[in-house]
């Protein structure tokens, strides 16, 4: 069994606003293993962003602990190592770009790490190639599309060689094309072994994860594979959450044709199931 990369242990958190304490996260515990692809879903205001910010020490627990590769995020002396291990990409592409040239932006995080220039160049080349942005390296980020800017933001994180990438609704400001570009990059990084933790409202993205965590009012209320989670349509409806279109379709067809597999969650599975049933001697559909 691989050791956990991130351990969240009985994490509780509250914001303090004008001396008033606003409790947001309550006794959250889970672990993320190397190479996992975890999607976090939940209604607006359920605490997803607050939780994400705990995963690399941007916020620290009021009680409980977050431990990254053995380092507790409450130990300031380990913050540099923690931030290198777990990189974050946020919702707004514009807020994450700091330099006036793409490759300088990717280099930005490396500058404090005292890396020799030759290795720095190597890392920038690798990061830009990973997100398919090499040909834009000398351009001002300003002229890039939203999806391209997010790819540059991801490259900035990749240059640090993290073991885990946390995305907090990183595709929500993008059109379908931009979103697909990012998802392709994320899937490739995961295939190559990087752990991914992604907060999203897109259930088709949740379906491609290895695990889905559902949060309600600062508590984890479901944690399982996408197939397990999306079978609980009624409970998700109660939480104002959708299920992927493929799941909706599979469940609908199954309600009319009991032989149809109602647990499908991917479009290509639906196609295969239709082919399977249509090849039977007495087709049911
Ligand atoms: N800086 C802050 N100060 C005070 N309260 C905050 C702060 N940030 C968030 N909150 C409150 O904490 C709760 C959880 O917010 P959070 O942003 O973590 O939720 P979320 O699940 O990410 O929501 P969304 O889906 O809208 O992004 C909300 O009630 C929010 O109003
Ligand atoms: Mg949020």
């Amino acid at each position: 069994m691989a050791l956990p990369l991130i351990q969240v242990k009985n994490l509780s958190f509250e914001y303090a606003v004008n001396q008033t304490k606003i409790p947001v996260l309550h006794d959250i515990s889970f672990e993320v293993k190397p190479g996992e692809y975890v999607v976090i879903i939940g209604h607006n205001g359920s605490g997803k962003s607050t939780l994400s910010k705990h995963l690399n020490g941007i916020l620290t627990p009021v009680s409980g602990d977050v431990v990254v590769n053995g380092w507790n995020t409450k130990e300031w002396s380990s913050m540099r190592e923690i931030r290198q291990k777990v990189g974050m990409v946020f919702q707004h592409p514009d807020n994450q770009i700091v330099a006036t040239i793409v490759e300088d932006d990717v280099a930005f995080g490396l500058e404090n790490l005292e890396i020799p220039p030759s290795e720095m160049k190597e890392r920038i080349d690798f990061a830009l190639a990973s997100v398919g942005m090499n040909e834009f390296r000398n351009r001002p980020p300003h002229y890039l599309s939203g999806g391209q800017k997010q790819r540059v933001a991801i490259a900035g994180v990749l240059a640090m060689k993290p073991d885990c990438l946390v995305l907090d609704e990183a595709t929500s400001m993008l059109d379908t094309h931009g979103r697909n570009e990012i998802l392709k990059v994320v899937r490739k990084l995961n295939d190559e072994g990087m752990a991914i933790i992604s907060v999203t409202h897109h259930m088709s993205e949740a379906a491609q994860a290895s695990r889905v965590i559902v949060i309600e009012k600062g508590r984890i209320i479901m944690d399982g594979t996408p197939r397990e989670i999306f079978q609980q349509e009624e409970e998700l409806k109660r939480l104002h959450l959708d299920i992927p279109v493929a799941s909706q379709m599979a469940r609908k067809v199954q309600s009319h044709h009991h032989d149809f597999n109602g647990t499908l969650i991917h479009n290509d599975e639906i196609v295969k199931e239709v082919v399977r049933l249509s090849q039977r001697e007495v087709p049911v559909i």
Side-chain angles (χ1 to χ4, degrees):
M1 270 299 248
L3 284 173
L5 182 61
I6 300 180
Q7 293 167 286
V8 179
K9 299 191 259 189
N10 307 107
L11 157 64
S12 294
F13 182 79
E14 57 200 23
Y15 289 104
V17 181
N18 300 331
Q19 329 255 317
T20 309
K21 290 181 173 155
I22 305 170
V24 172
L25 301 178
H26 310 276
D27 197 24
I28 289 195
S29 297
F30 66 99
E31 291 182 348
V32 177
K33 302 227 163 53
E36 266 196 286
Y37 187 160
V38 181
V39 155
I40 300 176
I41 59 175
H43 195 44
N44 295 118
S46 55
K48 305 178 297 294
S49 295
T50 306
L51 175 60
S52 314
K53 287 179 187 150
H54 277 82
L55 302 177
N56 74 344
I58 296 172
L59 294 175
T60 51
V62 167
S63 66
D65 293 289
V66 177
V67 179
V68 175
N69 208 35
W71 295 295
N72 193 311
T73 58
K74 286 177 180 164
E75 289 160 16
W76 277 99
S77 55
S78 310
M79 201 46 76
R80 182 186 281 196
E81 283 85 355
I82 290 170
R83 297 265 164 94
Q84 273 176 256
K85 279 274 169 202
V86 180
M88 281 205 72
V89 177
F90 298 95
Q91 189 172 22
H92 293 280
D94 288 322
N95 299 352
Q96 298 173 87
I97 307 270
V98 288
T100 50
I101 297 291
V102 164
E103 67 176 8
D104 292 350
D105 198 82
V106 176
F108 183 77
L110 294 176
E111 273 159 15
N112 295 324
L113 299 183
E114 292 157 19
I115 291 171
S118 61
E119 189 186 336
M120 201 144 150
K121 182 175 177 318
E122 213 174 274
R123 286 198 189 200
I124 295 168
D125 290 351
F126 155 79
L128 284 170
S130 291
V131 299
M133 287 296 287
N134 225 336
E135 59 183 295
F136 297 90
R137 63 189 301 149
N138 295 316
R139 303 257 187 106
H142 189 59
Y143 291 107
L144 302 178
S145 71
Q148 290 169 331
K149 283 181 194 162
Q150 281 302 56
R151 283 196 273 158
V152 172
I154 293 174
V157 169
L158 294 184
M160 314 282 278
K161 300 212 169 152
D163 290 339
C164 179
L165 179 62
V166 179
L167 303 130
D168 186 0
E169 298 202 41
T171 64
S172 64
M173 305 301 286
L174 310 179
D175 57 19
T176 308
H177 176 71
R179 187 162 75 241
N180 289 339
E181 279 179 358
I182 299 298
L183 291 181
K184 223 161 75 188
V185 169
V186 168
R187 247 195 319 256
K188 180 173 77 109
L189 292 170
N190 182 245
D191 287 344
E192 291 165 359
M194 189 175 293
I196 307 289
I197 303 173
S198 176
V199 173
T200 186
H201 285 285
H202 291 279
M203 297 305 152
S204 54
E205 184 191 350
Q208 78 174 29
S210 51
R211 176 176 165 202
V212 176
I213 291 178
V214 185
I215 297 209
E216 186 196 25
K217 295 183 183 151
R219 289 190 166 81
I220 292 183
I221 58 161
M222 296 185 204
D223 183 348
T225 64
R227 214 176 288 288
E228 286 162 356
I229 299 295
F230 292 127
Q231 297 321 300
Q232 304 180 52
E233 188 179 5
E234 292 310 313
E235 176 69 352
L236 292 172
K237 250 193 211 150
R238 184 184 71 73
L239 302 168
H240 307 285
L241 296 170
D242 286 329
I243 61 172
V245 173
S247 296
Q248 292 174 27
M249 208 185 286
R251 294 171 69 83
K252 184 117 193 144
V253 178
Q254 192 194 38
S255 68
H256 294 285
H257 300 281
H258 297 303
D259 285 352
F260 198 91
N261 183 350
T263 69
L264 306 179
I265 57 174
H266 300 291
N267 294 347
D268 58 342
E269 291 178 332
I270 301 273
V271 175
K272 280 187 198 140
E273 183 69 349
V274 170
V275 170
R276 180 182 77 84
L277 291 173
S278 63
Q279 283 170 346
R280 293 188 345 174
E281 276 174 34
V282 187
V284 290
I285 45 178

